[in-house]
């Protein structure tokens, strides 16, 4: 065999044995059912991460609590049991209570805030606090500024309407606001509300308008009061040590996908929120949209109770001031 042929053959053999780029598994847990508009955004985000990473990141989405229960996602990621999860801001509870700032009754309905949120000073402030808890935030997904109180037989509109009503709560801050109305709140994830409503554990529900459709609350409740009582966001986060071990390309892929998905979430949420009242009516539900005066009456009772529980610590004050400057 000629020397040139030998060299070419050896070169070809060497090229053939070069290993392909390692594929890194990225399991992501969330609680939303497949029809939910943000669940669809998460799937789109996952596809974008795969594309941007050139297949280096194998993003696997497990929705509807199929991998980890909603109330265990944060711990599972922080411990490294899974790589990634999505949680609603109010699920941080006592672990990081400043995440609940957007639950202040009737205070964060302006979509302009959410369009500017990724990369903003308050977002970066929260990201630093999340990192101190062992997780790195990778995407902000605005979910709703249109909520509904679901009930049976009558609408819940005036403060007096809530007296003695067993209602789905969110966390201690917002539940204090519900209790100020005379309601009896029980905090629970959205995935448990349908069953609780159908069995009478709860008299009334609270969720975003689009989720009332996707979770089929109209099957167990017949009255829906639509109002801008709170704003909520789902955010995606990963184990910080896992993230630190990624290649620059993988990290860039996550950043690019996160920035795109933040825009998609606002667009999807605005569309879903606007469509939800008519979708509920189409299912036979009775729908009432509160007036500005009715909202002010509720706010007058709820806001002081929320503010008292939200806290006057330095972190809370700093976050509120950063948001005011947006």
């Amino acid at each position: 065999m000629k020397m040139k042929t030998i060299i070419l053959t050896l070169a070809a053999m060497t090229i053939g044995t070069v290993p392909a780029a390692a594929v890194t598994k990225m399991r992501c847990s969330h609680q939303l059912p497949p029809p939910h508009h943000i669940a669809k955004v998460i799937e789109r985000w996952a596809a974008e991460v795969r594309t941007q990473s050139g297949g280096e990141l194998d993003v696997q989405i497990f929705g509807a609590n199929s991998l980890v229960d909603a109330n265990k996602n944060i711990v599972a990621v922080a411990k490294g049991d899974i790589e990634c999860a999505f949680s609603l801001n109010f699920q941080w509870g006592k672990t990081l209570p400043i995440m609940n700032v957007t639950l202040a009754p009737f205070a964060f309905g302006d979509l302009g805030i959410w369009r500017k949120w990724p990369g903003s000073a308050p977002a970066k402030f929260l990201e630093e606090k999340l990192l101190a808890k062992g997780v790195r935030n990778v995407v902000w997904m605005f979910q709703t500024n249109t909520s509904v109180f679901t009930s049976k037989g009558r609408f819940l509109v005036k403060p007096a309407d809530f007296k003695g009503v067993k209602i789905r709560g969110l966390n201690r801050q917002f539940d204090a606001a519900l209790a100020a109305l005379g309601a009896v709140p029980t905090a629970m994830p959205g995935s448990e509300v349908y069953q609780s409503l159908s069995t009478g554990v709860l008299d009334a529900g609270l969720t975003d308008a689009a989720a009332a459709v996707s979770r089929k609350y109209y099957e167990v409740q017949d009255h829906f009061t639509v109002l801008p009582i709170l704003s909520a966001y789902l955010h995606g986060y990963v184990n910080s040590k896992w993230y630190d071990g990624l290649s620059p390309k993988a990290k860039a892929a996550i950043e690019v996908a996160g920035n795109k998905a933040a825009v998609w979430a606002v667009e999807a949420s605005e569309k879903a929120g606007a469509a939800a009242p008519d979708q509920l009516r189409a299912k036979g539900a009775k729908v009432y949209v509160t007036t500005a005066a009715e909202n002010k009456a509720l706010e007058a009772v709820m806001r002081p109770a929320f503010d008292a529980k939200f806290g006057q610590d330095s972190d809370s004050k700093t976050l509120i001031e950063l948001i005011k400057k947006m």
Side-chain angles (χ1 to χ4, degrees):
M1 184 180 292
K2 294 182 179 180
M3 182 59 68
K4 184 177 181 180
T5 303
I6 293 173
I7 293 172
L8 289 174
T9 301
L10 290 172
M13 290 174 63
T14 301
I15 293 172
T17 58
V18 173
V23 176
T24 301
K25 182 167 59 177
M26 185 177 180
R27 297 164 297 173
C28 296
S29 170
H30 72 80
Q31 70 190 60
L32 301 176
H36 195 286
H37 64 285
I38 294 298
K40 295 176 182 178
V41 174
I42 291 173
E43 293 290 347
R44 189 177 175 187
W45 165 83
E48 187 68 20
V49 173
R50 296 186 200 103
T51 299
Q52 292 290 335
S53 71
E56 187 175 323
L57 289 173
D58 177 20
V59 189
Q60 302 170 12
I61 302 299
F62 298 85
N65 293 325
S66 59
L67 182 63
V68 178
D69 287 342
N71 60 357
K72 297 179 180 178
N73 277 328
I74 294 169
V75 173
V77 174
K79 289 173 60 179
D81 294 340
I82 58 175
E83 295 77 34
C84 161
F86 290 79
S87 293
L88 286 158
N89 56 312
F90 54 78
Q91 289 171 329
W92 278 90
K94 295 180 180 180
T95 304
L96 193 58
I98 58 172
M99 291 286 280
N100 300 315
V101 65
T102 66
L103 301 185
F106 302 97
F108 288 91
D110 183 6
L111 281 181
I113 293 175
W114 301 105
R115 291 191 177 95
K116 297 183 292 184
W117 186 261
S120 67
K124 290 180 179 178
F125 182 77
L126 287 178
E127 286 167 358
E128 291 176 1
K129 299 301 179 181
L130 289 166
L131 197 57
K133 299 297 181 182
V135 303
R136 177 179 289 274
N137 195 80
V138 294
V139 60
W140 297 103
M141 293 186 178
F142 166 71
Q143 180 167 318
T144 186
N145 62 350
T146 307
S147 305
V148 291
F149 285 125
T150 78
S151 51
K152 186 177 290 186
R154 63 188 178 95
F155 291 112
L156 300 176
V157 179
K158 304 182 298 296
D161 296 337
F162 292 83
K163 188 172 182 179
V165 174
K166 297 178 293 183
I167 192 168
R168 182 249 180 133
L170 302 178
N171 57 31
R172 68 186 186 90
Q173 292 94 342
F174 193 81
D175 289 2
L178 292 173
L181 295 172
V184 182
T186 300
M188 66 175 64
S191 56
E192 298 177 11
V193 176
Y194 182 100
Q195 182 68 17
S196 295
L197 292 171
S198 65
T199 58
V201 171
L202 294 178
D203 302 318
L206 169 62
T207 188
D208 72 87
V213 178
S214 63
R215 292 191 182 278
K216 301 182 179 181
Y217 286 4
Y218 52 81
E219 294 180 346
V220 290
Q221 303 265 265
D222 54 14
H223 283 61
F224 293 77
T225 303
V226 180
L227 70 174
I229 195 169
L230 60 86
S231 289
Y233 56 88
L234 196 82
H235 71 115
Y237 50 93
V238 299
N239 178 273
S240 57
K241 291 182 180 179
W242 174 86
Y243 178 88
D244 290 342
L246 296 178
S247 71
K249 182 178 182 179
K251 291 177 180 177
I254 291 173
E255 181 178 1
V256 170
N259 290 335
K260 288 185 177 183
V263 176
W264 301 335
V266 173
E267 294 172 346
S269 295
E270 184 175 21
K271 182 178 179 180
D278 283 340
Q279 290 174 337
L280 288 168
R281 292 186 183 101
K283 297 296 184 179
K286 296 180 180 180
V287 178
Y288 179 77
V289 180
T290 56
T291 65
E294 289 165 339
N295 291 339
K296 285 187 176 298
L298 289 170
E299 182 179 3
V301 178
M302 300 180 73
R303 186 63 186 273
F306 178 91
D307 288 347
K309 288 290 184 181
F310 182 67
Q312 299 300 315
D313 59 281
S314 60
D315 282 350
S316 298
K317 291 179 179 178
T318 298
L319 180 59
I320 290 171
E321 287 303 313
L322 290 173
I323 291 172
K324 286 179 180 178
K325 294 176 183 178
M326 286 184 69

